[in-house]
Amino acid sequence: MERWGDLERPAMDRAAGEQFLSAAFQVLLEEAVRKGTDVAQKVCEWKEPHELRELLDLELRSRGEPESRLLERCRDVIRYSVKTCHPRFFNQLFSGLDHHALVGRLLTETLNTSQYTYEIAPVFVLMEEVVLAKLRELVGWKSGDGIFCPGGSISNMYAMNVARFQRFPESRQLGSRALPRLVLFASEECHYSIQKGAAFLGIGTDNVVLVRADERGKMIPEELELEIERVKSEGAVPFFVSATCGTTVLGAFDPLGPVADVCQRHGLWLHVDAAWGGSALLSRKHRQLLAGIERADSVAWNPHKMLTVGLQCSAFLLRDDSGLLQRCHGAGATYLFQPDKFYDVTLDTGDKTVQCGRRVDCLKLWLLWKAVGTEGLEQRVDRAFACTRYLAAEVKRRPGFQLVLEPEFLNLCFWFVPPSLRGQQGRADFEQLLGKVAPAIKERMMKEGSMMVGYQPHGTKPNFFRQIVTSPAVTRADLDFFLDEIERLGHDL
């Protein structure tokens, strides 16, 4: 006979749990929020992998640990993590910390629901609908559809899949065997998720045509048209063009109007990957960078980048309002999407996605928007542009610094030429030696923990720095420190 005595009481000590939670919140506030945003603190505490494994004691054991030890482990996690909220973290296309958005993230984690049906996520189903509509309005659409996705790469894949389904609805059931050879087009500067998506969806990377870009990294519409004609002459079927607004390295914006003209002439789906550059739509001063985006069929936009919303917040927006997303992805699982529910089942939006469980990603953006308003978001965007313009002027003024190109967006690309290489441009190995400068400076800055910035080669150009400012906490002093630190760390190279 089974005994049920253990079921009379909860298996968790709620009072002890709340005590731990309260103490952990203090650690979070002091170590991650306050110290993590303090310029007097390090951006990172660099350790080699073998050292870090030893310091963290990552092994999972059969018996639990006391609260004091767990709190120390929380401190260690923070101590040895990169402080992406630090004003001198310039390494990625995201940075900074907004306190309102952070509260939204904490609420999301605490409520721990899945955004697939109104019955378990009523607030967030309605909230997502409003936020997506506002984003579509900024694009220039009066209606449409959309969904929050786990990252811009997935948004781009959604676009490919929906475009293929719209052109060939039978593909959903019959698969690739029922289709002709499909070809898609993107700039040679496009995000790598375009090729990954083609591989993932069975289109094939051989069927991705990378269209030539100009010297600033913008797709050349005439080249796009030539490639489309070439593909047609080979008997293949062009179906999709991805234009980029804010390329990852150079920050280039493809000319959407002329690209849309080409797509219209050939009957192709136009997707705009504005994961990085989309937030410029909030600025009356800078939104012309995306002129013509309202002609797109779909848009990817990541508010977690320029708006300091926090990872992740990625919207896939669709101009179509006929239910294309639902028809493309819906499976009608009867244990979730029962048609005879007592409320309006069109609010059960989860069947639009390829996911089942889906994280709530709208709350942090909604709460931030409520806190600062559209005007406040616009000010953040304009301030980020101002930071980049200031840095560009300083780079042109300072000896040893050289712009790769004049920035159009927030991507500031430049070389630092140490004293030993100045005036040596005629040397046969000049570019080879210059290419070693950025990695060496990056190593030094990370080991000191003073700041972080990215670098990369590009085409035939040797390694250069790519500096990004998105955090509203960054001041002119931080920008001056950035250039001074590059010079200090590289003067003896």
PDB file of all heavy atoms in Angstrom, residues 321-337:
ATOM      1  N   ASP A 321      -2.090  40.874 -44.100  1.00  0.00           N
ATOM      2  CA  ASP A 321      -3.011  40.742 -42.978  1.00  0.00           C
ATOM      3  C   ASP A 321      -4.071  39.675 -43.232  1.00  0.00           C
ATOM      4  O   ASP A 321      -5.151  39.691 -42.619  1.00  0.00           O
ATOM      5  CB  ASP A 321      -3.671  42.091 -42.670  1.00  0.00           C
ATOM      6  CG  ASP A 321      -4.492  42.631 -43.836  1.00  0.00           C
ATOM      7  OD1 ASP A 321      -4.560  41.963 -44.886  1.00  0.00           O
ATOM      8  OD2 ASP A 321      -5.075  43.727 -43.690  1.00  0.00           O
ATOM      9  N   SER A 322      -3.746  38.736 -44.129  1.00  0.00           N
ATOM     10  CA  SER A 322      -4.726  37.704 -44.501  1.00  0.00           C
ATOM     11  C   SER A 322      -4.584  36.416 -43.689  1.00  0.00           C
ATOM     12  O   SER A 322      -5.295  35.450 -43.947  1.00  0.00           O
ATOM     13  CB  SER A 322      -4.583  37.372 -45.987  1.00  0.00           C
ATOM     14  OG  SER A 322      -3.382  36.641 -46.228  1.00  0.00           O
ATOM     15  N   GLY A 323      -3.642  36.390 -42.735  1.00  0.00           N
ATOM     16  CA  GLY A 323      -3.417  35.162 -41.962  1.00  0.00           C
ATOM     17  C   GLY A 323      -2.346  34.268 -42.559  1.00  0.00           C
ATOM     18  O   GLY A 323      -2.317  33.057 -42.308  1.00  0.00           O
ATOM     19  N   LEU A 324      -1.445  34.858 -43.331  1.00  0.00           N
ATOM     20  CA  LEU A 324      -0.399  34.084 -44.000  1.00  0.00           C
ATOM     21  C   LEU A 324       0.486  33.333 -43.004  1.00  0.00           C
ATOM     22  O   LEU A 324       0.837  32.166 -43.220  1.00  0.00           O
ATOM     23  CB  LEU A 324       0.444  35.021 -44.872  1.00  0.00           C
ATOM     24  CG  LEU A 324       1.483  34.404 -45.805  1.00  0.00           C
ATOM     25  CD1 LEU A 324       0.832  33.462 -46.811  1.00  0.00           C
ATOM     26  CD2 LEU A 324       2.263  35.499 -46.526  1.00  0.00           C
ATOM     27  N   LEU A 325       0.845  33.988 -41.908  1.00  0.00           N
ATOM     28  CA  LEU A 325       1.678  33.331 -40.889  1.00  0.00           C
ATOM     29  C   LEU A 325       0.996  32.085 -40.341  1.00  0.00           C
ATOM     30  O   LEU A 325       1.625  31.038 -40.171  1.00  0.00           O
ATOM     31  CB  LEU A 325       1.958  34.298 -39.736  1.00  0.00           C
ATOM     32  CG  LEU A 325       3.262  35.082 -39.710  1.00  0.00           C
ATOM     33  CD1 LEU A 325       3.298  35.989 -38.494  1.00  0.00           C
ATOM     34  CD2 LEU A 325       4.463  34.158 -39.712  1.00  0.00           C
ATOM     35  N   GLN A 326      -0.272  32.208 -40.049  1.00  0.00           N
ATOM     36  CA  GLN A 326      -1.030  31.083 -39.504  1.00  0.00           C
ATOM     37  C   GLN A 326      -1.125  29.944 -40.517  1.00  0.00           C
ATOM     38  O   GLN A 326      -0.920  28.771 -40.177  1.00  0.00           O
ATOM     39  CB  GLN A 326      -2.432  31.550 -39.114  1.00  0.00           C
ATOM     40  CG  GLN A 326      -3.376  30.460 -38.642  1.00  0.00           C
ATOM     41  CD  GLN A 326      -3.033  29.950 -37.255  1.00  0.00           C
ATOM     42  OE1 GLN A 326      -2.561  30.705 -36.420  1.00  0.00           O
ATOM     43  NE2 GLN A 326      -3.260  28.667 -37.015  1.00  0.00           N
ATOM     44  N   ARG A 327      -1.412  30.273 -41.753  1.00  0.00           N
ATOM     45  CA  ARG A 327      -1.537  29.223 -42.778  1.00  0.00           C
ATOM     46  C   ARG A 327      -0.201  28.541 -43.044  1.00  0.00           C
ATOM     47  O   ARG A 327      -0.143  27.342 -43.312  1.00  0.00           O
ATOM     48  CB  ARG A 327      -2.083  29.815 -44.087  1.00  0.00           C
ATOM     49  CG  ARG A 327      -3.489  30.372 -43.973  1.00  0.00           C
ATOM     50  CD  ARG A 327      -4.129  30.601 -45.341  1.00  0.00           C
ATOM     51  NE  ARG A 327      -3.340  31.438 -46.226  1.00  0.00           N
ATOM     52  CZ  ARG A 327      -3.361  32.768 -46.213  1.00  0.00           C
ATOM     53  NH1 ARG A 327      -4.111  33.414 -45.324  1.00  0.00           N
ATOM     54  NH2 ARG A 327      -2.636  33.469 -47.075  1.00  0.00           N
ATOM     55  N   CYS A 328       0.865  29.303 -42.941  1.00  0.00           N
ATOM     56  CA  CYS A 328       2.197  28.749 -43.215  1.00  0.00           C
ATOM     57  C   CYS A 328       2.659  27.807 -42.104  1.00  0.00           C
ATOM     58  O   CYS A 328       3.234  26.760 -42.385  1.00  0.00           O
ATOM     59  CB  CYS A 328       3.193  29.899 -43.394  1.00  0.00           C
ATOM     60  SG  CYS A 328       4.865  29.370 -43.789  1.00  0.00           S
ATOM     61  N   HIS A 329       2.384  28.175 -40.851  1.00  0.00           N
ATOM     62  CA  HIS A 329       2.983  27.442 -39.735  1.00  0.00           C
ATOM     63  C   HIS A 329       2.007  26.668 -38.869  1.00  0.00           C
ATOM     64  O   HIS A 329       2.411  25.829 -38.071  1.00  0.00           O
ATOM     65  CB  HIS A 329       3.760  28.426 -38.841  1.00  0.00           C
ATOM     66  CG  HIS A 329       4.871  29.133 -39.525  1.00  0.00           C
ATOM     67  ND1 HIS A 329       5.012  30.501 -39.524  1.00  0.00           N
ATOM     68  CD2 HIS A 329       5.890  28.654 -40.276  1.00  0.00           C
ATOM     69  CE1 HIS A 329       6.075  30.841 -40.224  1.00  0.00           C
ATOM     70  NE2 HIS A 329       6.619  29.736 -40.690  1.00  0.00           N
ATOM     71  N   GLY A 330       0.704  26.962 -38.986  1.00  0.00           N
ATOM     72  CA  GLY A 330      -0.263  26.370 -38.071  1.00  0.00           C
ATOM     73  C   GLY A 330      -0.345  24.853 -38.172  1.00  0.00           C
ATOM     74  O   GLY A 330      -0.319  24.281 -39.257  1.00  0.00           O
ATOM     75  N   ALA A 331      -0.438  24.206 -37.003  1.00  0.00           N
ATOM     76  CA  ALA A 331      -0.595  22.749 -36.944  1.00  0.00           C
ATOM     77  C   ALA A 331      -1.864  22.350 -36.207  1.00  0.00           C
ATOM     78  O   ALA A 331      -2.274  21.191 -36.243  1.00  0.00           O
ATOM     79  CB  ALA A 331       0.621  22.111 -36.261  1.00  0.00           C
ATOM     80  N   GLY A 332      -2.489  23.304 -35.516  1.00  0.00           N
ATOM     81  CA  GLY A 332      -3.773  23.042 -34.877  1.00  0.00           C
ATOM     82  C   GLY A 332      -3.750  21.983 -33.802  1.00  0.00           C
ATOM     83  O   GLY A 332      -4.687  21.193 -33.674  1.00  0.00           O
ATOM     84  N   ALA A 333      -2.708  21.959 -32.993  1.00  0.00           N
ATOM     85  CA  ALA A 333      -2.627  20.964 -31.918  1.00  0.00           C
ATOM     86  C   ALA A 333      -3.839  21.093 -31.000  1.00  0.00           C
ATOM     87  O   ALA A 333      -4.060  22.134 -30.374  1.00  0.00           O
ATOM     88  CB  ALA A 333      -1.334  21.159 -31.126  1.00  0.00           C
ATOM     89  N   THR A 334      -4.616  20.032 -30.883  1.00  0.00           N
ATOM     90  CA  THR A 334      -5.907  20.122 -30.193  1.00  0.00           C
ATOM     91  C   THR A 334      -5.774  20.227 -28.676  1.00  0.00           C
ATOM     92  O   THR A 334      -6.742  20.585 -28.005  1.00  0.00           O
ATOM     93  CB  THR A 334      -6.784  18.910 -30.539  1.00  0.00           C
ATOM     94  OG1 THR A 334      -6.066  17.708 -30.255  1.00  0.00           O
ATOM     95  CG2 THR A 334      -7.169  18.934 -32.010  1.00  0.00           C
ATOM     96  N   TYR A 335      -4.598  19.936 -28.123  1.00  0.00           N
ATOM     97  CA  TYR A 335      -4.451  20.079 -26.683  1.00  0.00           C
ATOM     98  C   TYR A 335      -4.140  21.525 -26.291  1.00  0.00           C
ATOM     99  O   TYR A 335      -4.164  21.882 -25.119  1.00  0.00           O
ATOM    100  CB  TYR A 335      -3.370  19.136 -26.134  1.00  0.00           C
ATOM    101  CG  TYR A 335      -1.960  19.471 -26.574  1.00  0.00           C
ATOM    102  CD1 TYR A 335      -1.153  20.312 -25.817  1.00  0.00           C
ATOM    103  CD2 TYR A 335      -1.440  18.936 -27.746  1.00  0.00           C
ATOM    104  CE1 TYR A 335       0.132  20.617 -26.216  1.00  0.00           C
ATOM    105  CE2 TYR A 335      -0.159  19.241 -28.157  1.00  0.00           C
ATOM    106  CZ  TYR A 335       0.622  20.085 -27.391  1.00  0.00           C
ATOM    107  OH  TYR A 335       1.900  20.385 -27.802  1.00  0.00           O
ATOM    108  N   LEU A 336      -3.839  22.370 -27.294  1.00  0.00           N
ATOM    109  CA  LEU A 336      -3.575  23.784 -27.041  1.00  0.00           C
ATOM    110  C   LEU A 336      -4.605  24.692 -27.708  1.00  0.00           C
ATOM    111  O   LEU A 336      -5.089  25.649 -27.106  1.00  0.00           O
ATOM    112  CB  LEU A 336      -2.186  24.170 -27.567  1.00  0.00           C
ATOM    113  CG  LEU A 336      -0.973  23.919 -26.688  1.00  0.00           C
ATOM    114  CD1 LEU A 336       0.287  24.351 -27.411  1.00  0.00           C
ATOM    115  CD2 LEU A 336      -1.098  24.672 -25.373  1.00  0.00           C
ATOM    116  N   PHE A 337      -4.894  24.401 -28.959  1.00  0.00           N
ATOM    117  CA  PHE A 337      -5.695  25.315 -29.779  1.00  0.00           C
ATOM    118  C   PHE A 337      -7.079  24.737 -30.069  1.00  0.00           C
ATOM    119  O   PHE A 337      -7.487  24.574 -31.213  1.00  0.00           O
ATOM    120  CB  PHE A 337      -4.940  25.631 -31.072  1.00  0.00           C
ATOM    121  CG  PHE A 337      -3.540  26.143 -30.845  1.00  0.00           C
ATOM    122  CD1 PHE A 337      -2.433  25.378 -31.169  1.00  0.00           C
ATOM    123  CD2 PHE A 337      -3.338  27.395 -30.276  1.00  0.00           C
ATOM    124  CE1 PHE A 337      -1.146  25.844 -30.951  1.00  0.00           C
ATOM    125  CE2 PHE A 337      -2.051  27.868 -30.046  1.00  0.00           C
ATOM    126  CZ  PHE A 337      -0.953  27.103 -30.376  1.00  0.00           C
TER     127      PHE A 337
END
